Structures are given as C-alpha cells and as structure tokens.
Amino acid sequence: MKRNKTLALTVLAITLSLALCINAAFAKTIRLSLNHIFPASHFVHTRLMTGFAADLEKATDGRLKIDVFPGATLLKPAETYEGVVTGTADISHGITGYTRGRFLVMEACDISGIPFSSAAASTMVTVDVIKKFKPKEYDDTKLLMVNSVGPGCLFTKKKINSLDDLKDMRIRATGSTVNSIKALGAIPVAMPNNDTYEALSKGIVDGNIGPPEMLKGWKQADVTDYITIMPPVYNSIMYVVMNLDKWNSLPKDIQEIVDNVSSGWSLKSGQIWDDEQKRNGIDYGISQGMEMVRLQDSDYEKGQKLMQPIIDDYIARMDKKGINAKEIIEFVKEKSAEYSQKYPSTY
C-alpha cells in the first residue's frame, strides 16, 4: 500500500514537472526586431510602429516582444525590404518608392494621375489591390500590412502661383513622382527624405513634394515658406513585412494573432496619417507662418492631363512583363473614387 502511494506520488511529480516544462516552453518570449527609417520623435515611431508592436505584445499575452529600432538603425531606406529577406531585421516598415522596379503591381497604387482624397482612402485601395491581384512581389517575405500617406503637397521658399512657375525648379522627388515632376517642367532630384532638410536649407533643392506631416515630423517648416496643394502627382505606399523563416518558425496560434492584429492596422495607420497631415502638417505649417496656396482649377485640370502619359507608359511597360496593368489601373480608379467618398480629405 505504501509502495503504491509512493509510486503514485512519483508519477504525479513527474507529470507536474513535464507540464511545467511544456508550459514554460509554450510561454517562452519570442523577441523580434522591427526596423523603420523615421526619427524617434516622428509619429511613425511614437504612434504607428510602437503602437503596432504594443498591440502584438498585448494580443499574445507577452509571448511576442517587439524591439522597435527607429532612424534606419538596422537598415538604410533602400535596404528595408531586402534586409528583411536576408534576416538583418525580423520585421521592417518600408517605402515601395525607394526600390523602384521591385514592386511592379504596387506601382499602380501610387502612380501619378489618379486622384484620391486621403491616406485612409488610398490605403484601402492598396489593400483591395493586394486582395484581388495577389502580387508576387511580396512572396519572399510575410506581408503584415500596408498603408498610404495620402495626397502630397509642395513645400517651397518661392510662392507658386501656377504650374508654370515650376519650370526648371529643382524639386526633391522619389518613385513615380520623379516622372510627374518632369512632366510639370521641374527638375526632379532623387534623395531619401532623411537628407531633404539639409538640401532645402542649403538651396541644393528649391522644394520638396510629399505629405504635409513633413513640415513638423521632418522639420521642413523651418526651411520653407509656402504649402501648395498640388494636382494628383504624389502618393507613397508603405509596407510592413516579416522575414519568411522567422514567420514560419512562429507557433500557429501566434501566426493567427499576428494576422488578426495586422489586418486592422492598415486602415488604422492610414487614419493616423490623415490626422497627422492635418494637425502636424497643414495646421502646424500655418502656425509657423507658412502660407497655403491653392491653384486655379485650370491648373489642376492641366496637371492631371500631364500625368496621363505616365499612366500610359506604366501600362505599356507592365504589358511587356505579362502584367495586365490596364485592368489594375481601372480597378484603382474605381476604388479611389469609392473610398474617397468614404474617407474624405482632412485639408
């Protein structure tokens, strides 16, 4: 009787020990690095990336721990995608326009010439394009979410009264905006936004085209005097991707949680961009003494017509690669009109 009791206690002890080991292994914290190029003071860090990381940690009850590295600490702007593929960072936020030719289908989402009202609107167009056309350009990573920054403005020291005033001005531009700046008669100067403040302050460029949040987030209100609302020449699509091996190593239940959290963050990030564009973009610039300029309707009509050859060229280039770009462009136009009604402009 005593022997049976001892045996039972021994079995119980072993069972409890195994259970504790299994639970400890199950609850082990998985640490992941997340890179982005924005300064630590910028809202992409303080609101988007740290907010996204916090939601992942909370939803997994702390089983995931995301270490967020701002300011291109781990990867330079042009390396954000390939650096995740090779594992230099586990996760990275990046900008498609910094690696032109890498994201062929996604070019249709930030191409010049298609008007849309807001970052939220353009973000949801991008989400729908991915769902419908399933572009292969993300296949060597795990795509977590995408977002758009919304319509861009032109920031200059010289007042722009009409599109004709842009002739021969040197304007910092990236991605498809390079061609639209050329179409407007200006001279595009390609550079990462990290270098733009100094270029503006030294007169290396005469202006920058981009989202209004740059006025505070990148301190460009300090070196420019005018905010010009432009025709549809600028948009920028961003992504957050994870290293595929790292993704595949995660437990299935963690993968499901990450998918659920990420799916809600695309629209949320677009709405945060819209909020920042108004408060820390347009409103901030005006509070610093900048003047807001709206061109004549004829300039907006002229600008949109000047962008059409860019769309035509994109369709022709993609056709040669076997991509039905005409169908994608028509879908983007249709969705842009739909979502622009649902998510109107904030400025």
Side-chain angles (χ1 to χ4, degrees), residues 10 69 111 115 140-141 145 176 180 183 187 209 269 298 326 328 332 347:
T10 302
F69 295 88
I111 198 165
D140 46 7
T141 62
M145 68 176 181
S176 65
S180 62
I187 302 168
I209 189 162
S269 61
S298 57
K326 185 174 182 180
I328 300 171
V332 170
Y347 55 87

Side-chain angles (χ1 to χ4, degrees), residues 25-79:
F26 182 79
K28 183 180 179 181
T29 300
I30 302 168
R31 299 191 76 97
L32 299 173
S33 59
L34 192 164
N35 172 84
H36 68 82
I37 70 169
F38 293 82
S41 59
H42 195 282
F43 76 87
V44 166
H45 180 71
T46 60
R47 293 185 69 182
L48 266 67
M49 293 299 97
T50 56
F52 177 57
D55 279 3
L56 288 175
E57 291 174 14
K58 182 179 179 180
T60 59
D61 293 324
R63 291 166 62 196
L64 278 186
K65 171 64 180 174
I66 314 295
D67 298 311
V68 183
F69 295 88
T73 305
L74 301 180
L75 297 167
K76 295 178 181 178
E79 300 170 349

Side-chain angles (χ1 to χ4, degrees), residues 48-302:
L48 266 67
M49 293 299 97
T50 56
F52 177 57
D55 279 3
L56 288 175
E57 291 174 14
K58 182 179 179 180
T60 59
D61 293 324
R63 291 166 62 196
L64 278 186
K65 171 64 180 174
I66 314 295
D67 298 311
V68 183
F69 295 88
T73 305
L74 301 180
L75 297 167
K76 295 178 181 178
E79 300 170 349
T80 52
Y81 190 84
E82 292 302 326
V84 170
V85 173
T86 59
T88 304
D90 298 319
I91 305 170
S92 189
H93 176 277
I95 301 171
T96 60
Y98 283 0
T99 48
R100 219 63 194 169
R102 179 69 178 74
F103 302 98
L104 299 177
V105 172
M106 303 318 294
E107 283 187 38
C109 295
D110 67 2
I111 198 165
S112 303
I114 300 177
F116 56 92
S117 61
S118 64
S122 183
T123 293
M124 294 313 296
V125 171
T126 305
V127 169
D128 283 2
V129 166
I130 291 170
K131 286 179 180 178
K132 181 175 176 63
F133 296 101
K134 298 177 176 56
K136 296 183 181 299
E137 47 231 47
Y138 296 112
D139 281 0
D140 46 7
T141 62
K142 166 63 179 177
L143 177 63
L144 299 181
M145 68 176 181
V146 290
N147 77 271
S148 164
V149 307
C153 298
L154 181 65
F155 319 120
T156 58
K157 290 185 177 180
K158 167 188 168 182
K159 187 172 183 178
I160 306 300
N161 294 300
S162 76
L163 291 182
D164 292 339
D165 292 340
L166 292 171
K167 184 174 174 55
D168 295 331
M169 287 183 67
R170 293 163 298 172
I171 306 297
R172 178 261 175 184
T174 59
S176 65
T177 311
V178 168
N179 290 328
S180 62
I181 289 299
K182 284 182 182 177
L184 295 175
I187 302 168
V189 180
M191 68 176 67
N193 202 39
N194 310 56
D195 300 330
T196 307
Y197 179 94
E198 184 176 5
L200 285 165
S201 64
K202 292 183 176 180
I204 296 171
V205 294
D206 302 312
N208 181 25
I209 189 162
E213 60 80 23
M214 289 179 175
L215 296 173
K216 184 175 184 180
W218 295 90
K219 301 182 179 180
Q220 291 180 18
D222 296 351
V223 288
T224 55
D225 298 313
Y226 296 95
I227 309 166
T228 305
I229 306 299
M230 295 293 286
V233 300
Y234 177 89
N235 188 21
S236 184
I237 302 300
M238 301 182 179
Y239 56 79
V240 176
V241 292
M242 182 186 290
N243 175 270
L244 201 55
D245 289 336
K246 186 66 68 172
W247 169 257
N248 290 330
S249 73
L250 296 178
K252 293 297 181 185
D253 65 316
I254 292 287
Q255 289 182 343
E256 290 177 6
I257 293 170
V258 172
D259 274 337
N260 288 337
V261 172
S262 300
S263 64
W265 262 91
S266 286
L267 177 58
K268 186 175 181 178
S269 61
Q271 291 172 325
I272 289 173
W273 271 92
D274 282 329
D275 175 58
E276 293 287 342
Q277 305 289 40
K278 181 70 168 64
R279 289 191 305 108
N280 291 321
I282 300 295
D283 292 351
Y284 176 78
I286 291 172
S287 75
Q288 299 302 300
M290 297 186 75
E291 181 180 338
M292 189 169 179
V293 179
R294 294 187 185 273
L295 302 176
Q296 297 292 321
D297 288 346
S298 57
D299 275 310
Y300 293 110
E301 293 167 5
K302 177 182 177 181

